[in-house]
Amino acid sequence: SFPSTSVLIVVDTSGSMGMVEDGFPKLELAKRAAIRTIELLSPNDRVGLAGSGDQIELVLPMQAARDKGGLTEQVGRLSLSGGGIYAQPSIDFANKVLSAENSRVRHLIFLGDGADVDTYGNSLATLEDMRKRKITTTAVAIGDGKDVPFMKAMAVAGGGRFFLADRGV
C-alpha cells in the first residue's frame, strides 16, 4: 500500500541561524520544529530532512517514519554551514525529491530565518507549479524580519500555511 503522506523538511543552516532568538540559537528552534513534525507523523508516513546553506545536504533521505527516536536523533546532526539560505535551490531540490514520491499527500516544510532568506529567484512560480501537482508547502519563519513577507508568499504559492516561530517553545 502506498504511504499516505511524504514530508520533506528543509532547514536553513546558513550562518545567520546561529543568531539568538528569544534565548536560543535559531537553528535550535528549527531543530525543535523538525522534531515536532517527525513526532506527528504516523509510522507509514515518509519523511526526509535536508540542511540548506552554501549547499544542500540531505541529512535524512526519504524513509518511513517508523523509528521516531532514530529520526529525531538524526535531526541533531544539522549544523551551521555558513553562507546564506538560498530559496530557489532549496525549492528546486524539494521539487525533485517530492516529485519522486508516490504518496497521496506530498508536503514541503521550509524552515528559514525570517531575517535572512536569499536568492528568491523564481521559487514562487516553482511552488505554484508544485501545488498544481499536489505538492504543498508550509513556510516557517524562525524569528521575525525582512523576509517574513516572502515566506508568507511561499506558503500562499505553495497552498500551505505560514508560521512565525519567535519563541523558544
Side-chain angles (χ1 to χ4, degrees):
S1 66
F2 288 132
S4 58
T5 303
S6 290
V7 176
L8 176 65
I9 306 167
V10 176
V11 177
D12 177 356
T13 54
S14 66
S16 70
M17 288 293 281
M19 301 289 286
V20 171
E21 181 78 34
D22 199 44
F24 296 89
K26 289 184 175 186
L27 185 59
E28 287 309 310
L29 297 178
K31 285 181 184 179
R32 288 179 189 190
I35 287 169
R36 257 201 312 257
T37 301
I38 290 168
E39 286 169 348
L40 291 170
L41 297 172
S42 85
N44 291 329
D45 292 334
R46 285 168 57 77
V47 64
L49 173 72
S52 179
D54 273 339
Q55 53 199 20
I56 299 173
E57 184 202 358
L58 194 56
V59 176
L60 275 177
M62 294 300 296
Q63 59 192 272
R66 286 198 184 92
D67 175 16
K68 299 277 176 77
L71 291 171
T72 56
E73 213 171 278
Q74 295 294 321
V75 175
R77 286 182 36 216
L78 280 172
S79 58
L80 294 175
S81 64
I85 172 82
Y86 307 109
Q88 183 70 55
S90 300
I91 302 305
D92 288 345
F93 175 83
N95 188 13
K96 196 177 76 186
V97 170
L98 287 168
S99 293
E101 291 288 307
N102 55 18
S103 305
R104 222 175 27 170
V105 175
R106 295 174 295 173
H107 195 66
L108 163 64
I109 299 178
F110 182 89
L111 293 150
D113 186 342
D116 191 18
V117 175
D118 303 319
T119 324
Y120 295 176
N122 59 351
S123 45
L124 296 180
T126 305
L127 290 170
E128 281 173 12
D129 173 64
M130 288 164 65
R131 189 184 75 213
K132 287 181 187 135
R133 292 180 291 111
K134 305 276 191 283
I135 301 173
T136 53
T137 299
T138 286
V140 182
I142 309 292
D144 205 347
K146 68 175 175 57
D147 294 300
V148 163
F150 170 71
M151 294 186 72
K152 284 182 175 164
M154 285 177 70
V156 171
R161 296 169 70 189
F162 169 80
F163 297 96
L164 175 62
D166 59 354
R167 290 280 166 266
V169 290

